Every structure is written in structure tokens, then in C-alpha cells.
Amino acid sequence: MKQSDEQLFNPSQQVIDYANVKEYDNNYADSIANPLDFWEKQAETLEWTTKWDKVLDDSNPPFFKWFTGGKTNIILNAIDRHLKTANRNKLAIIWEGEPGDLRSFSYHALNREVCEFANILKAMGVKKGDIVTIYLPQIPEQLFAMLACAKIGAAHSVVYGGFSHEALADRINDANSRVVVTADGGFRRGKASNLKEIVNKALEHTPTVEVCITVKRTGVDVFMENDRDYWFHDLKSLPIAAAQCETEIMDAEDMLFILYTSGSTGKPKGLVHTHGGYSVYTATTHKMAFDIKPEDRWWCAADPGWITGHSYIVYSPLINGATIFLYEGAPNHPYPNRWWKMIEKYGINILYTSPTAIRGLMRYGESWPNKHDLSSLRLLGSVGEPINPEAWKWYYKVIGKEKCPIIDTWWQTETGGFIICPIPALPLKPGSATKPFFGIEVDVVTDTGEKTPVDEEGNLVIKTPWPGMARTVYQDPDRFKELYWQKYEQQGWYHSGDAARIDEDGYYWIIGRTDDVIKVSGYRLGSAEIESALMSHPAIAESAAIGLPHALKGYAIHCYVVLRKGYEPSPALEKELREHVGEMMGAIARPEEVAFIDVLPKTRSGKIMRRVLKAQALGQDIGDLSTLEE
Ligand code: PRX
């Protein structure tokens, strides 16, 4: 389907003159004429202790390796090299807590915090190659913990603070973490969460955990187990927390982190990212797409617990020497002008957020942002779900005052960084993520791999490897192959799981997932996980979860359940089931609705036909039912 509205929004001459990259077409053509040269040139802007022998090792696809033989550590670029320049005294992080408290750290101070944290982890027995699980609210210690792991060569596995104890325990167990870092809680909408209580519950089912380090944020009473739980501030006051720590030199391909994400089937999978290629990829995409300049105050309003936070709150802005702004709490607390007030107060230059957040703030009307001077903004960004043209235009007009290009970035946990996105010099179309980033080839193809005609929907594929790509699924390389590379095995393309179309000007329009992944407020959830949470309730015999369009959240979760004998449908049971899913998975997964039905539509081989449920709910044509059992 073609979008009716394809007005072009051209950047001003001022935006082009100021931009790091002033033109798209020729630069793109050059970059893909010789992508390895392009990526090598980018890698040369970073610090390595030993240069690579080879830019790309493609001898064993899809297990590509980048900058092999090269040695570095992302921390050499994110922190250490700034200490040798004037950046040392520049602000690295400005953080505002929801109650209004303020903390800020220069690169010098950040280094000190990271070294102390790193020494504490070492004293707790963390070694190169271990995986530390981090479950923290949005406080500076979340960044320090991640960076400290990287510094000593341990990998981090950050679990989003909104996930439940079950989800946390699963992730800790998959990673076999010995050490968990958490906090007593954080503030959201004026209330203190109780993270430590959730961790305590999770740790009843995690035999590998020996140490839990707890940061004090809220001051609520928490249970601390002797010989396992340590207050971070106590550890920090000990001589073990020395302020100097050597950065461990890593192979380019050594693991930097794993991050769990949902797919069509089964349990969340831990995608593996590395020190070398990921540094190059995130820094380059950030510098070119968001035109980052050393003097910028950059605010990526995601949670560090998701890939957006890893790549664009923590690592790339630090590598590029920008100042990161971070905010702990809800956008509308205590009033809907909270974000606009902070943009004015701190002079934020670039804001990068999700369509759900924009739609949420748009609801309150223009008068809230109009009370504030937003003239420091020069670029705006969007990520996580397609942005509807109406929200795009509001963002462009009311927040950006028609002078800030909107950088709509399409990418995934698996890609490490932006794949399709504009640079500021590219004319924009509201709702389109525009064109592929430099150095990569992308396309939209049919199930058999033919290019789809202009404006026709097909599968979005990435045709060439890129340095930021996930290297594997942690401890499950077969799954990595099967999930992303099997469909176009012959061609050697990466299958994204998204549908898209390309218009006559070569602009990409992302349509959404083709699999059973549901994007709720930009958060990624799998039908299978929601169904297995439902199945753990004694009343449920069978269940199906689908996503249906929602004005604010993009998609909302709708479930269909068949009850066991002895249970009767009732509003009370519906409520109980919704809460049960929320309890099992975390509040973001709580279904909008649970409907009771007698039978689920299934194929003859017993697979639930979720598309039938979806079509029915939307009043659409149900399509080919030849495989339906009943
Ligand atoms: O469906 C696409 C959607 O988010 C999915 C990836 O989710 P996740 O791994 O959690 O990463 C989110 C942040 C990068 C994609 O498969 N998506 C992401 N960005 C966009 C998008 N859909 C449309 N437009 C975007 N800009």
C-alpha cells in the first residue's frame, strides 16, 4: 500500500553546510563500490593497540568476523583516549533523577567511577570472559557497571528493569552469571520501584549466582542476604575500589555483551556483540546519521536495557566524545512538560526517542512544549516502530520548529546499529526511514528472493555483512543460522523478519514484522513467550497471543484462551489472566484483552494460525484457509 502523503521535506542550506556528511547519493555509491575500504577508513579513526590483518573474514558465513587480528577495547575509545585530550574536563554525563536530583560527570570523573567499579568487580572474582548480569534503573551506575565490565574484558548482560523475576532468572541462568548488579529501586511516576525484591525472588532459582551488588537509590527497606548481597557504597569505601584500573586489551572479535531479545519461537535469545566491529559501526552511524559534534548534548531517551540504549546512550556517544544526557523517570512527571523543561534547562541539541513517546506527549497538546525555549535542538530522531506521518509532523513542527531534520532509524538488536536511516542532508518523507546507511546493501524481495516491484511489499533483507552485526546467538549458533540466514541461504542474505516496500525514489517504508514478534510501545515481545506465561496459569488449556493496532502503543497484545474443564469465563478471570502475564513477564507484556474461545484455529499439523485470529479481529479477509483444520 502506498502512503497517500509523500511530501518531501528538504533540509535547509544551514543544516547541509554544518553537516559531517553533506550529500547522500555519491557517498553511498562510493561506500558500496568498495565497502571494505569504507569500513577500514572508519576503523582507522579509532584507537587500536594492534592493527587488524583483515577487515572482513568471510570464510565461514554467516559467522562473519571483522578486523581480525586487531586488538582494542571499546573503553580505549569510549573513555581512555578522551583522558589524553581536552575532553578530559568535559561533561560526559548529565543525569537528572525523577525527583529532580542532578549528578554530572566529566570524562575524568567517569573514568574514576568506571575504574572503581571495575576493581570492585575484579575483587568479587569477575574475570575476562565472564558474563555479569545488570538489572538496574536508569541511574548513572547502570552505565558505570556496563563500562566497568567492558574495561576488564567481562561481558555484560543487561536485563531491562521492567522485566519480572521470571524473565530475569531465565536470562541469568542462560548466561550462567556469577555476579548480578542491581539497585534497591528507582523512581517512576513519583513512586519507588522495588527492584531488589524482584532480584531476591529471581535468585531463588539461579544456582550460579554467588554475589549480588546493590546500589542504593531509593532508600527503601530491602532484604540483603549475608555473604551474597553487598551494598555498592560499602564496597566503594573499601581499598578494593581503587581509582586506577588497566583496560584489558581484547581481540576485536571478543564478546562485549549479550543482549536478550524476543523472536517468533521459544525463549529469548542472547545476541552476541563484539569489541571491534561494534565500536566501529556504532560510532560511524552515530557520527554520520546524527551528525554528532564534540560540542553536542545528546539525549537518547531510551532505556540502557535495550539495544538502543547500549549502542546510542552508552557506547557511540562516548566514543564520539559527546555529552550524554540521561533522565531516570516518566516523561509526564510531575507534568507533561518534563521533557521540554529539561531540553531547555540543559540545552539539549539532539533528541532521539520512540514514536510511542512522541504520540504520548502529543496527546497533551502544543501548549506544554510551547512554554519552553527549544531552540537548542538541531536534530530529532525516532526508533523502534514505524512513525505515523501525523506524529512525524507534530514532532517536526511543534518540537523541531520546522528546522530539525527527523532521523528515523530502522535497525534491530541483531544489527547493532542503524541500517536504514537518513543523514541530515537527505530530503525526508514523513514515515519513511529513507535509505540504507553507507557501506551496506539492503533490499526488499519476495519469498524466493526476487526484487519486489516498486511500492510492493516484500521481505526486508540485508545483502552484505556489516561490522555491527551480531556474531551469533549465545551458545546456540545453529539457532543463529536458522533464524536469520536459512531463508535466503543460497543468496547469503540476512533475513530481518520485517516487511517493507521501496518507493519510486528508492525510499524504504517499513511495514512491520512478518513473524510472531509484537512491538508494544516499541518494546519487542514474542507471541510464544506470552503464550507460555498464560499456559502457566492453571485455568488455561490453550492460548494464542497476537498484536492488534493501538493508537498510542503502535500494537497492543490481545490473547485468546481455551479454558480447562472446571473453569468458567468471567471478567474476574480475565483480569487475573492479564495480571498473571504481567507478573510473569513484566508490566509491558500485560495483555490489553484476554478473550475466551472454544477452539483455536490450527493447521492440520497443530500449529496455531495467529493470522486467522488477527484477520478476524480486524474484520479482514481471512485469506487462504486450505491448511486450517477446523
Ligand atoms: O520491526 C522493526 C522495529 O523494531 C524491530 C527491532 O526491534 P529491537 O530489536 O527491539 O530493536 C529496536 C531498536 C532498534 C525491527 O525488526 N523497528 C525498529 N526501528 C524501526 C522499526 N520499525 C519501523 N521503523 C523504525 N525506525
Side-chain angles (χ1 to χ4, degrees):
M1 190 185 62
K2 202 174 153 90
Q3 303 270 336
S4 54
D5 199 338
E6 286 192 5
Q7 192 187 348
L8 267 189
F9 287 75
N10 288 299
S12 66
Q13 194 56 44
Q14 197 186 353
V15 165
I16 298 172
D17 289 345
Y18 188 71
N20 287 334
V21 184
K22 301 190 192 309
E23 188 272 344
Y24 176 83
D25 290 339
N26 293 320
N27 280 309
Y28 180 72
D30 286 352
S31 75
I32 60 161
N34 200 337
L36 299 190
D37 272 3
F38 174 81
W39 291 116
E40 179 154 51
K41 224 177 267 157
Q42 306 313 316
E44 281 164 357
T45 66
L46 298 183
E47 216 163 90
W48 302 74
T49 56
T50 306
K51 199 178 162 167
W52 50 90
D53 310 316
K54 226 177 161 181
V55 177
L56 171 66
D57 173 356
D58 54 3
S59 58
N60 182 27
F63 302 100
F64 297 96
K65 293 181 181 168
W66 286 85
F67 308 108
T68 49
K71 288 192 188 292
T72 187
N73 181 314
I74 200 162
I75 298 300
L76 286 184
N77 288 294
I79 301 178
D80 298 354
R81 71 170 171 169
H82 300 304
L83 304 177
K84 297 179 260 176
T85 70
N87 275 357
R88 177 188 185 86
N89 295 323
K90 170 183 174 176
L91 285 182
I93 300 172
I94 303 171
W95 173 86
E96 189 173 299
E98 199 189 66
D101 40 342
L102 172 68
R103 294 166 73 191
S104 59
F105 304 85
S106 64
Y107 275 88
H108 170 80
L110 171 65
N111 179 56
R112 201 182 158 92
E113 295 286 345
V114 171
C115 286
E116 288 176 2
F117 215 129
N119 283 322
I120 289 171
L121 291 174
K122 277 186 176 172
M124 292 293 160
V126 177
K127 291 184 303 294
K128 184 172 174 173
D130 289 353
I131 303 175
V132 174
T133 296
I134 299 174
Y135 184 69
L136 281 168
Q138 283 207 47
I139 54 176
E141 283 76 10
Q142 189 172 32
L143 277 64
F144 304 157
M146 292 166 75
L147 296 163
C149 288
K151 187 171 178 81
I152 62 174
H156 51 74
S157 163
V158 179
V159 178
Y160 168 59
F163 275 140
S164 68
H165 63 95
E166 303 264 351
L168 174 62
D170 279 352
R171 287 159 176 75
I172 292 173
N173 288 333
D174 190 74
N176 284 316
S177 286
R178 243 192 82 248
V179 175
V180 173
V181 182
T182 189
D184 50 359
F187 291 104
R188 190 141 179 118
R189 298 215 163 77
K191 280 205 220 110
S193 64
N194 197 337
L195 280 192
K196 182 62 167 69
E197 200 173 278
I198 298 172
V199 173
N200 286 343
K201 274 195 204 160
L203 296 191
E204 288 170 18
H205 308 282
T206 55
T208 52
V209 176
E210 291 170 18
V211 174
C212 175
I213 300 172
T214 307
V215 179
K216 195 177 219 116
R217 163 67 184 138
T218 62
V220 297
D221 262 351
V222 296
F223 172 76
M224 300 283 283
E225 183 156 309
N226 260 345
D227 299 331
R228 183 194 71 189
D229 296 351
Y230 301 88
W231 284 111
F232 179 61
H233 59 266
D234 286 343
L235 298 172
K236 247 185 131 173
S237 68
L238 300 175
I240 53 168
Q244 282 88 36
C245 177
E246 277 298 307
T247 301
E248 187 77 32
I249 299 308
M250 309 293 285
D251 285 334
E253 282 293 304
D254 277 340
M255 180 159 77
L256 170 63
F257 64 84
I258 57 176
L259 185 58
Y260 288 89
T261 192
S262 302
S264 292
T265 52
K267 281 189 173 182
K269 46 195 183 269
L271 273 319
V272 173
H273 287 282
T274 59
H275 275 264
Y278 179 83
S279 296
V280 175
Y281 198 71
T282 55
T284 307
T285 47
H286 188 235
K287 187 159 58 193
M288 295 185 178
F290 276 105
D291 192 38
I292 206 80
K293 302 284 187 344
E295 60 272 28
D296 277 327
R297 290 194 163 182
W298 157 260
W299 182 13
C300 168
D303 189 288
W306 301 91
I307 192 68
T308 310
H310 282 56
S311 300
Y312 299 104
I313 291 180
V314 185
Y315 288 114
S316 66
L318 291 177
I319 296 174
N320 287 326
T323 298
I324 301 169
F325 176 68
L326 266 181
Y327 165 60
E328 177 185 34
N332 54 355
H333 187 84
Y335 299 109
N337 65 332
R338 181 64 185 265
W339 274 24
W340 319 128
K341 195 173 163 181
M342 293 188 300
I343 288 172
E344 178 174 11
K345 179 173 173 191
Y346 299 108
I348 306 296
N349 306 108
I350 311 175
L351 171 68
Y352 180 39
T353 185
S354 68
T356 292
I358 298 159
R359 288 190 293 261
L361 290 164
M362 191 171 126
R363 265 191 322 181
Y364 297 107
E366 292 184 18
S367 64
W368 292 99
N370 286 348
K371 281 198 234 315
H372 296 278
D373 175 5
L374 304 179
S375 61
S376 59
L377 289 172
R378 67 178 183 89
L379 290 172
L380 298 170
S382 175
V383 62
E385 40 177 332
I387 181 164
N388 47 311
E390 195 198 350
W392 194 101
K393 285 182 191 158
W394 188 84
Y395 197 26
Y396 185 75
K397 188 168 152 261
V398 179
I399 307 306
K401 314 294 179 204
E402 299 182 357
K403 69 174 177 64
C404 307
I406 293 184
I407 310 298
D408 178 0
T409 60
W410 178 88
W411 58 295
Q412 309 176 303
T413 307
E414 292 84 348
T415 69
F418 312 150
I419 296 290
I420 301 174
C421 63
I423 56 170
L426 193 70
L428 304 172
K429 297 184 185 190
S432 165
T434 74
K435 301 196 172 187
F437 188 73
F438 303 121
I440 34 175
E441 284 181 66
V442 179
D443 212 340
V444 174
V445 300
T446 63
D447 280 338
T448 48
E450 286 90 46
K451 192 173 174 63
T452 52
V454 167
D455 274 327
E456 243 166 68
E457 185 175 332
N459 299 317
L460 183 58
V461 295
I462 308 175
K463 292 180 154 177
T464 50
W466 64 103
M469 63 202 307
R471 298 302 193 258
T472 188
V473 170
Y474 183 62
Q475 286 180 329
D476 204 348
D478 291 342
R479 202 159 163 219
F480 181 69
K481 258 185 162 163
E482 179 194 316
L483 289 172
Y484 308 107
W485 303 92
Q486 196 162 291
K487 187 168 175 86
Y488 297 108
E489 196 177 2
Q490 261 177 348
Q491 297 90 337
W493 299 337
Y494 169 87
H495 174 224
S496 70
D498 273 27
R501 65 177 176 89
I502 307 176
D503 72 14
E504 69 232 4
D505 302 320
Y507 279 59
Y508 285 69
W509 298 80
I510 310 297
I511 293 155
R513 300 291 307 186
T514 54
D515 56 6
D516 294 314
V517 166
I518 310 174
K519 286 294 244 162
V520 181
S521 304
Y523 295 116
R524 177 166 162 180
L525 299 163
S527 293
E529 296 161 78
I530 301 161
E531 288 158 10
S532 77
L534 279 167
M535 299 301 283
S536 70
H537 189 282
I540 305 301
E542 284 186 297
S543 67
I546 58 168
L548 293 178
H550 184 279
L552 207 60
K553 301 177 184 172
Y555 283 91
I557 299 167
H558 291 253
C559 299
Y560 297 83
V561 296
V562 179
L563 293 178
R564 283 184 192 281
K565 272 213 171 67
Y567 289 90
E568 288 297 321
S570 72
L573 182 58
E574 195 222 341
K575 183 159 178 259
E576 186 179 318
L577 291 169
R578 286 170 43 217
E579 272 160 17
H580 178 73
V581 176
E583 173 76 11
M584 296 289 290
M585 293 182 64
I588 44 163
R590 193 183 296 131
E592 194 77 1
E593 174 202 36
V594 177
F596 302 99
I597 57 174
D598 295 334
V599 276
L600 288 174
K602 283 193 202 148
T603 62
R604 287 186 201 107
S605 59
K607 269 178 87 178
I608 298 168
M609 293 181 83
R610 297 188 188 87
R611 80 175 164 84
V612 172
L613 291 167
K614 200 164 173 169
Q616 222 163 21
L618 295 173
Q620 291 169 346
D621 178 16
I622 292 174
D624 177 15
L625 283 185
S626 55
T627 56
L628 186 69
E629 185 199 36
E630 280 185 60

